[in-house]
Amino acid sequence: MEHNGRSLLAVMQRSGRGFCHTLVLALVFALAPSARATIRYEVSLRQPRQHLFHVRMEIPGVKPGEDVAMPAWNALYQIRDFASHLSDVEVARLSSGDAAAHFTVARELDKQDWSLETNDPNSAGTQQDEAVTYSVEWNEAGPFSTQLDEHHAFINLAEILMYVPDRRGESVEVDFDDVPSGWRVVAELPPGAQADSFTATSYDALVDAPVEAGKFDQFGFDNGGAHFRVVVDAREWDKALLDEALHRITGYELKLMGGPPFPEYTFIFHIGPYSDAGGGGMEHMNSTAIAATSTSSAAAVAAHEFFHAWNVKRIRPRSLEPADFSKEQYTRALWFAEGVTSTYAAYTLVRTGLWTREQFYSDLAAQISELQSRPAREWQSAEESSLDAWFEKYDDYNRPSRSISYYNKGQILGVMLDLAIRDATDNRKSLDDVMRRMNQEYAKGGRYYDDSRGVLDVVNEVAGKDFNDLFSRFVSGTGEIPYDQFLSIAGLQLNLSTSPSGDVTAMIREAPHPTSRQRRIRDGILHGTTE
Ligand SMILES: [Zn+2]
């Protein structure tokens, strides 16, 4: 994800080089609907003005005393207690038996769990088909939240759909009803049997695909072996700019990682008024939702979010699996999952010509300024910052004296690691090889990596050298990063100055007379090449 809008500062450069765009709107991958969904949701959009979703969750074969639950978190590493948006939780139906003789109630157990309990002593052990109904009120803009109003609906499904804790692995279906006239409904999921319905192989897969409903613009293109759908809800946006930027970004990252891990991918953009709550982007398995104030900043966020299709969604730390929606889930790996994703967003932008090299240096210098202006860097490590992600919802936590950002330090560490690997291998290997090897061993191998240790193992393998010291100083430790030492590997110079008021300014420039090795490594970083 990209929460603080930092990368929105990125200024994209329009290039005169023309791309030949063939818009293949008609090519939609026909994904076969799965077998009959066992748990089925009906979501009515009949009250957009009231921002109210009416949900009916049909659960076949409910065991007496079975629990249903609302997630406490999703889409951000923050406890947001989605159950606080619910009202009128009831059990609506008995599928069989004598309705007069017994009934089932949803008894609240705690703020997010209900037990489906029956008063019928004879029903012990027998299974019933039940339906739980409730309303959900959400009216919050942005990719991390849910909104229903008269303009559109954007839905993170974990924020409106309950789950049965023991049955998250079963296939599910969601149908949208009472969709306002003229609206279309899109989500990167196989279609269900009815219009505006979708299926998924599990609850987890279902809630990993956000839904946009409304009168949005849409275009599509094929690139690198995959089909891309682009949904845009905006008052003013630049289609040519977005189209070209997405072609370059998807093309580069697909090539870097050896092809698409999906047949189809969907970008959902909210540009302009619907990003009032702050820009940002949220990654999902086969889609992303991005809010930004302008087309160019939206495209820059896309460079980060699209790389998450590998890093964090498929190259995944063990600590995030299986997801526990009921409470905080701690991981030390966000410096890599988020920070190094930002490294690759910057690499993608400069390597595709969307940024000049000066923009790349200036962005890296801005990251260094940010870290060096935070006194908390002297005692909070990148790993500790990752563990403390759950504090980010508290404004006070984000003060420079209290915390650093794993995005920020992780992005810097990505570049420093790349320089160190290129140095150790005489520019024959790079961080790109680390990403590809992690893709091969973990994503394609169906395994999760062991947080920082797992990254270190792959780095050591690629570099043919032990990087344990570097990791213990700068990843798990709080050693001051010797920027000059790292940057000089590529013939770069850092000018770091601190004003009397404590403001830190960093500038990076190319040294006037680099050695040929320094120039080759610098070109390697800027162009993604090795010897
Ligand atoms: Zn991210």
Side-chain angles (χ1 to χ4, degrees):
M1 60 200 79
E2 182 67 62
H3 193 206
N4 56 13
R6 178 182 44 72
S7 82
L8 303 184
L9 299 173
V11 180
M12 303 250 312
Q13 186 202 26
R14 295 290 301 269
S15 160
R17 268 184 290 153
F19 266 60
C20 178
H21 298 144
T22 310
L23 299 182
V24 188
L25 291 165
L27 183 62
V28 175
F29 279 77
L31 297 170
S34 63
R36 190 186 77 84
T38 55
I39 293 174
R40 201 171 149 270
Y41 302 90
E42 286 174 14
V43 178
S44 167
L45 305 185
R46 68 177 179 269
Q47 283 193 286
R49 192 179 300 176
Q50 289 76 23
H51 319 295
L52 268 183
F53 298 91
H54 296 279
V55 180
R56 176 186 172 89
M57 176 189 189
E58 295 181 0
I59 318 167
V62 177
K63 287 175 279 188
E66 181 113 61
D67 287 358
V68 292
M70 275 302 285
W73 70 278
N74 196 247
L76 286 174
Y77 303 111
Q78 293 179 6
I79 296 296
R80 290 187 289 160
D81 288 325
F82 303 145
S84 66
H85 291 257
L86 261 59
S87 56
D88 298 326
V89 180
E90 286 179 359
V91 177
R93 186 189 68 171
L94 287 173
S95 64
S96 60
D98 182 353
H102 69 272
F103 59 92
T104 303
V105 294
R107 189 166 74 89
E108 184 168 337
L109 300 175
D110 58 34
K111 64 183 164 69
Q112 61 199 12
D113 291 284
W114 291 260
S115 169
L116 300 180
E117 296 182 358
T118 174
N119 72 331
D120 178 8
N122 298 322
S123 74
T126 63
Q127 297 188 347
Q128 303 279 343
D129 296 344
E130 305 283 6
V132 178
T133 64
Y134 54 92
S135 305
V136 189
E137 187 178 342
W138 266 98
N139 184 30
E140 201 177 326
F144 314 108
S145 297
T146 287
Q147 183 164 51
L148 173 61
D149 63 17
E150 289 178 299
H151 174 75
H152 81 147
F154 174 76
I155 310 165
N156 277 301
L157 288 170
E159 295 169 1
I160 68 163
L161 299 183
M162 287 185 176
Y163 63 99
V164 180
D166 292 341
R167 296 172 66 178
R168 266 168 54 192
E170 294 182 15
S171 64
V172 286
E173 179 171 336
V174 59
D175 302 335
F176 291 92
D177 298 329
D178 309 310
V179 175
S181 162
W183 285 22
R184 286 177 292 166
V185 184
V186 69
E188 189 54 65
L189 287 170
Q194 308 169 27
D196 304 327
S197 71
F198 303 95
T199 64
T201 52
S202 66
Y203 177 85
D204 294 32
L206 180 71
V207 302
D208 199 12
V211 178
E212 175 72 18
K215 296 177 179 174
F216 44 77
D217 294 319
Q218 187 173 344
F219 66 97
F221 61 91
D222 291 330
N223 203 10
H227 181 65
F228 291 88
R229 300 191 301 174
V230 185
V231 168
V232 183
D233 180 19
R235 204 163 291 165
E236 277 182 28
W237 63 291
D238 184 335
K239 183 182 172 191
L241 173 61
L242 189 62
D243 193 10
E244 175 159 339
L246 291 180
H247 263 83
R248 293 190 188 194
I249 289 164
T250 56
Y252 176 72
E253 293 183 5
L254 286 169
K255 186 162 161 262
L256 174 74
M257 298 305 286
F262 40 69
E264 184 178 272
Y265 185 94
T266 297
F267 289 96
I268 299 173
F269 287 103
H270 295 108
I271 302 173
Y274 280 85
S275 61
D276 288 351
M282 183 62 217
E283 70 278 6
H284 299 280
M285 201 68 165
N286 302 312
S287 60
T288 182
I290 291 171
T293 51
S294 70
T295 306
S296 61
S297 55
V301 176
H304 175 103
E305 302 308 329
F306 187 59
F307 196 68
H308 274 312
W310 293 275
N311 197 18
V312 94
K313 294 313 299 188
R314 290 176 174 84
I315 300 172
R316 193 155 177 82
R318 181 173 300 152
S319 47
L320 289 178
E321 287 293 328
D324 182 348
F325 296 134
S326 73
K327 61 178 191 297
E328 293 88 345
Q329 186 152 11
Y330 294 101
T331 176
R332 294 173 192 272
L334 295 181
W335 69 271
F336 184 78
E338 288 295 348
V340 172
T341 294
S342 287
T343 306
Y344 273 92
Y347 279 176
T348 297
L349 292 170
V350 72
R351 290 172 183 179
T352 56
L354 290 165
W355 273 0
T356 61
R357 62 169 64 192
E358 286 74 24
Q359 283 173 299
F360 175 79
Y361 296 150
S362 140
D363 174 68
L364 181 57
Q367 299 303 327
I368 293 172
S369 301
E370 167 68 17
L371 181 60
Q372 297 308 114
S373 66
R374 290 193 162 256
R377 78 182 184 284
E378 292 168 10
W379 60 272
Q380 187 187 45
S381 70
E383 286 189 339
E384 288 164 346
S385 159
S386 177
L387 292 171
D388 287 347
W390 301 91
F391 285 149
E392 287 169 6
K393 65 179 180 180
Y394 304 114
D395 287 344
D396 269 2
Y397 172 75
N398 299 306
R399 282 176 296 126
S401 58
R402 174 62 186 88
S403 63
I404 62 162
S405 157
Y406 48 81
Y407 286 91
N408 169 230
K409 189 169 182 183
Q411 179 177 345
I412 296 167
L413 287 174
V415 178
M416 301 303 140
L417 250 182
D418 198 2
L419 289 165
I421 294 168
R422 288 174 187 273
D423 189 39
T425 61
D426 207 15
N427 206 31
R428 276 187 269 274
K429 297 286 179 190
S430 73
L431 192 61
D432 298 354
D433 296 293
V434 172
M435 297 313 306
R436 284 190 285 259
R437 189 166 292 215
M438 291 195 74
N439 192 39
Q440 197 62 37
E441 288 190 16
Y442 296 105
K444 293 183 179 174
R447 296 163 55 218
Y448 303 115
Y449 69 91
D450 190 14
D451 288 32
S452 302
R453 178 75 230 181
V455 179
L456 173 60
D457 288 345
V458 174
V459 168
N460 287 349
E461 227 178 289
V462 165
K465 183 187 160 181
D466 189 2
F467 275 66
N468 186 54
D469 181 56
L470 187 150
F471 272 63
S472 53
R473 283 165 73 196
F474 310 127
V475 174
S476 57
T478 53
E480 195 80 328
I481 299 173
Y483 298 107
D484 290 329
Q485 199 180 312
F486 282 111
L487 290 171
S488 72
I489 295 167
L492 297 172
Q493 295 177 334
L494 176 73
N495 189 318
L496 203 56
S497 61
T498 307
S499 74
S501 62
D503 291 335
V504 178
T505 311
M507 275 180 59
I508 290 174
R509 65 186 189 100
E510 296 178 353
H513 305 292
T515 64
S516 113
R517 186 179 194 269
Q518 285 174 322
R519 195 167 40 233
R520 282 186 285 118
I521 291 178
R522 190 175 71 206
D523 286 348
I525 295 276
L526 295 171
H527 303 298
T529 51
T530 47
E531 306 301 315

